[in-house]
Amino acid sequence: MAVESAAVMDPAGLKAIGAGLAVGLTGIASGIAEKDIGSAAVGAMAENEALFGKGLILTVIPETIVIFGLVVALLIS
């Protein structure tokens, strides 16, 4: 006697996966961007200390990507 079970996709589970991907992938992308920008900013500040403000601002800019990912995750759920 064979019992067939139908796989039912739970919409709440799919929303959770989508929200997790939105935050996780934007976090990874932000980390990769910040790695390159941060190393360049430290190199520039080693030569000229007056570039600290510009380096700090350019290092913070990729973090806005994660904020956008969080907003998308909140809109999904």
Side-chain angles (χ1 to χ4, degrees):
M1 181 170 151
V3 177
E4 293 183 22
S5 63
V8 179
M9 293 288 200
D10 184 21
L14 292 176
K15 285 182 180 180
I17 290 173
L21 284 173
V23 174
L25 293 177
T26 55
I28 291 171
S30 175
I32 292 171
E34 201 163 340
K35 168 188 62 103
D36 295 334
I37 294 172
S39 64
V42 169
M45 284 184 283
E47 293 181 10
N48 186 1
E49 292 180 5
L51 295 174
F52 175 76
K54 290 181 182 179
L56 183 65
I57 290 171
L58 290 174
T59 305
V60 172
I61 288 175
E63 293 177 7
T64 59
I65 298 171
V66 179
I67 295 171
F68 294 145
L70 180 63
V71 168
V72 168
L74 291 175
L75 290 175
I76 289 173
S77 62

